[in-house]
Amino acid sequence: TQAQIGVTGLAVMGANLARNLARHGHAVAVHNRSRSRTKALMEEHGDEGAFVACETPEELVAALERPRRILIMVKAGAPTDAVIEEFAPLLEPGDMLVDGGNAHFLDTRRREAALRERGIHFVGAGVSGGEEGALLGPSIMPGGSRESYEALGPLLEDIAAKVDGVPCCTHIGPDGAGHFVKMVHNGIEYADMQLIAEAYDLLRQGLGLSPAELADVFEEWNKGELSSYLIEITAEVLRQVDATTGRPLVDVIADRAEQKGTGRWTVQIALDLGVPVSGIAEAVFARSVSGHADLREAARGLPGPAGVPAGSVGEGFAEDVRRALYASKIIAYAQGFDQIRAGSAEYGWDVDPGSLATIWRGGCIIRAVFLDRIREAYEEETPPVTLLTAPLFAEALGLAQESWRRVVAKAAELGIPAPGFSTALAYYDSLRAERLPAALIQGQRDFFGAHTYQRTDREGSFHTLWSGDRTEIGA
Ligand code: NDP
């Protein structure tokens, strides 16, 4: 019998996805450049289902039913191109190559176009959930042709996480759409993590709570509207005690956050698209600041606020922080969904935001009760221009905003950096504002560069003769 799908690249992600497929009763042909990985998979897990071990790309291709489905799970970048070049010549029109790695969506667009010329369907599929998700049920975001999804969708939906019986996998849109939304998903994840970290810092410094006490707070928060995987693991991390020193683990971990690049891509692309994703950007920059040992060392002695003893904040502070966190989180997600809308329009993908919220409810790192609220928001008869104005979120922001202001003010007063909370509030106030000081900026631009401005009371472009008699002329 022929295998229904092949997996090439059997490091942790590929091996776990192959096992997931096999455990769901699919015959899986497996291949890896170094044979030792294939051998290890067969020895350790070969009894979990119907695997066909293959030593070469030719063997893998020969083991598959047609049209062939091959899932590539190798290191993103040049290795992916190398593997595509190995397999593409062996394939026939109608066959499918699926890249489940963390590819940049522009690479996926390029690869899709090149393979389409050769009659091969190329599917860029975002896969979220890490190694555990890959084995037990990830959230999968496949792009590519509709036709390829018909052949691939049932398999992928089968191994994806399920929430209320609904698979966390759906066709996202043509070519790079899947990898684009996976990228923004990761950007949102950065923002969410940064906000939680700021909440932790504010409570710890402001209220003087210990990590174990904070673990209780987050556990409590996890029962309400903030309920999410990230809040849950925050409590776990805060409760962990270091075996060698007996101190809270969080106190012995070096405070330099690392990044693999998807957050940075999200911000780079947002700049190109002109979408303000300030929450995600601040999260990327905050990681970057944490890693700049030289700058931090040089600036460590600079003065901070005097006379505000730590632990001096009032009783209601924890609840204020909880509300500020929720409000800031709404902003970060609203900005991310805005970027998806802009990308979808730019590249003609027709991505459905509601179905995205649906498949992010399970399997992935940002899974949360909250995503059900987003799904509901997009199911309204008139979907909101921004999530901020969806009735449910508008109400939540209204309820939170005074707490949010107190928290941002208190952070400034205590000298505790809260870039995520602050930028989220600034975005909220900017969108609400009747008038923005952008008018003054237009005046400045016209002054030094004759860039012209528009008026509120008449159509057209205008220029003031700044270096002449300062009369206004139509441009
Ligand atoms: P790695 O990213 O560590 O990649 C290792 C695999 O790539 C090995 O199978 C290796 O083969 C293969 N490889 C590297 N270079 C080549 C090449 N030139 N030709 C053929 N094969 C090559 O593995 P992961 O399992 O961590 O991740 C796989 C993909 O999934 C990556 O794109 C990653 O970004 C993405 N991803 C990872 C997640 C995670 O949590 N780790 C989550 C979601 C996506 P060999 O054994 O021969 O060296």
Side-chain angles (χ1 to χ4, degrees), residues 8-15 31-37 72-80 82-83 86 99-103 126-132 182 260:
T8 182
L10 301 175
V12 52
M13 290 297 290
H31 166 263
N32 192 72
R33 177 181 60 177
S34 327
R35 291 170 188 182
S36 55
R37 282 199 205 269
I72 304 171
M73 289 307 295
V74 302
K75 208 178 238 344
T80 305
V83 171
E86 251 182 322
D99 175 19
N102 270 333
V127 179
S128 176
E131 43 181 296
E132 189 182 281
K182 170 66 182 358
K260 288 212 265 182

Side-chain angles (χ1 to χ4, degrees), residues 58 70 76 108 229 273 276 344 354 359 394 398:
E58 288 78 5
I70 300 177
T108 303
Y229 174 71
L273 292 169
S344 180
I359 65 163

Side-chain angles (χ1 to χ4, degrees), residues 195-213:
L195 293 170
I196 293 172
E198 288 177 21
Y200 149 78
D201 204 20
L202 286 161
L203 292 182
R204 184 144 189 206
Q205 293 199 53
L207 287 175
L209 296 179
S210 70
E213 287 167 328

Side-chain angles (χ1 to χ4, degrees), residues 241-306:
V241 173
D242 176 47
T244 47
T245 59
R247 294 170 58 200
L249 180 67
V250 71
D251 288 347
V252 297
I253 297 179
D255 62 347
R256 295 184 296 272
E258 296 179 3
Q259 43 184 319
K260 288 212 265 182
T262 39
R264 187 172 61 232
W265 289 350
T266 310
V267 180
Q268 284 170 337
I269 299 300
L271 291 173
D272 292 342
L273 292 169
V275 190
V277 293
S278 47
I280 299 171
E282 281 298 349
V284 173
F285 286 137
R287 288 197 192 188
S288 170
V289 166
S290 79
H292 271 286
D294 51 347
L295 298 179
R296 293 177 63 191
E297 182 59 35
R300 189 154 291 136
L302 292 176

Side-chain angles (χ1 to χ4, degrees), residues 178-254:
H179 276 135
F180 184 93
V181 302
K182 170 66 182 358
M183 172 187 80
V184 178
H185 162 285
N186 285 25
I188 291 174
E189 177 184 312
Y190 273 55
D192 209 339
M193 291 168 72
Q194 172 65 23
L195 293 170
I196 293 172
E198 288 177 21
Y200 149 78
D201 204 20
L202 286 161
L203 292 182
R204 184 144 189 206
Q205 293 199 53
L207 287 175
L209 296 179
S210 70
E213 287 167 328
L214 285 166
D216 292 339
V217 171
F218 280 101
E219 226 171 76
E220 197 53 39
W221 288 3
N222 200 36
K223 294 178 188 154
E225 61 195 0
L226 281 168
S227 173
S228 62
Y229 174 71
L230 282 170
I231 293 282
E232 180 191 325
I233 65 165
T234 298
E236 301 262 352
V237 173
L238 289 174
R239 208 178 289 292
Q240 184 71 16
V241 173
D242 176 47
T244 47
T245 59
R247 294 170 58 200
L249 180 67
V250 71
D251 288 347
V252 297
I253 297 179

Side-chain angles (χ1 to χ4, degrees), residues 99-426:
D99 175 19
N102 270 333
H104 194 291
F105 78 98
L106 292 175
D107 284 334
T108 303
R109 280 171 64 80
R110 166 178 61 76
R111 290 166 181 151
E112 196 275 337
L115 287 163
R116 195 176 343 126
E117 300 257 296
R118 297 154 84 168
I120 298 165
H121 295 283
F122 184 71
V123 174
V127 179
S128 176
E131 43 181 296
E132 189 182 281
L135 182 63
L136 303 175
S139 177
I140 311 177
M141 297 149 248
S145 65
R146 264 264 154 232
E147 198 185 335
S148 64
Y149 193 78
E150 273 162 31
L152 213 60
L155 273 177
L156 298 181
E157 290 179 14
D158 208 21
I159 63 164
K162 310 280 183 308
V163 175
D164 306 331
V166 180
C168 294
C169 173
T170 191
H171 182 235
I172 304 295
D175 59 81
H179 276 135
F180 184 93
V181 302
K182 170 66 182 358
M183 172 187 80
V184 178
H185 162 285
N186 285 25
I188 291 174
E189 177 184 312
Y190 273 55
D192 209 339
M193 291 168 72
Q194 172 65 23
L195 293 170
I196 293 172
E198 288 177 21
Y200 149 78
D201 204 20
L202 286 161
L203 292 182
R204 184 144 189 206
Q205 293 199 53
L207 287 175
L209 296 179
S210 70
E213 287 167 328
L214 285 166
D216 292 339
V217 171
F218 280 101
E219 226 171 76
E220 197 53 39
W221 288 3
N222 200 36
K223 294 178 188 154
E225 61 195 0
L226 281 168
S227 173
S228 62
Y229 174 71
L230 282 170
I231 293 282
E232 180 191 325
I233 65 165
T234 298
E236 301 262 352
V237 173
L238 289 174
R239 208 178 289 292
Q240 184 71 16
V241 173
D242 176 47
T244 47
T245 59
R247 294 170 58 200
L249 180 67
V250 71
D251 288 347
V252 297
I253 297 179
D255 62 347
R256 295 184 296 272
E258 296 179 3
Q259 43 184 319
K260 288 212 265 182
T262 39
R264 187 172 61 232
W265 289 350
T266 310
V267 180
Q268 284 170 337
I269 299 300
L271 291 173
D272 292 342
L273 292 169
V275 190
V277 293
S278 47
I280 299 171
E282 281 298 349
V284 173
F285 286 137
R287 288 197 192 188
S288 170
V289 166
S290 79
H292 271 286
D294 51 347
L295 298 179
R296 293 177 63 191
E297 182 59 35
R300 189 154 291 136
L302 292 176
V308 203
S312 69
V313 299
E315 271 295 293
F317 191 60
E319 177 57 14
D320 276 351
V321 172
R322 192 192 65 79
R323 291 184 184 188
L325 174 56
Y326 190 59
S328 303
K329 181 170 160 141
I330 293 172
I331 303 293
Y333 281 68
Q335 292 181 339
F337 274 85
D338 220 28
Q339 179 165 359
I340 287 166
R341 196 182 49 156
S344 180
E346 172 74 18
Y347 296 103
W349 288 328
D350 202 18
V351 175
D352 169 25
S355 71
L356 265 190
T358 305
I359 65 163
W360 288 349
R361 293 180 307 166
C364 62
I365 306 295
I366 63 171
R367 62 184 181 259
V369 166
F370 183 65
L371 283 155
D372 251 330
R373 304 288 90 78
I374 297 181
R375 182 183 55 80
E376 285 161 24
Y378 283 118
E379 273 171 6
E380 295 278 324
E381 213 155 296
T382 336
V385 175
T386 161
L387 281 175
L388 305 197
T389 58
L392 208 92
F393 294 129
E395 192 193 342
L397 290 165
L399 278 174
Q401 58 114 8
E402 282 179 17
S403 295
W404 200 5
R405 296 181 194 289
R406 278 195 295 272
V407 169
V408 170
K410 187 51 88 177
E413 195 183 325
L414 294 176
I416 302 170
F421 280 20
S422 313
T423 200
L425 181 56

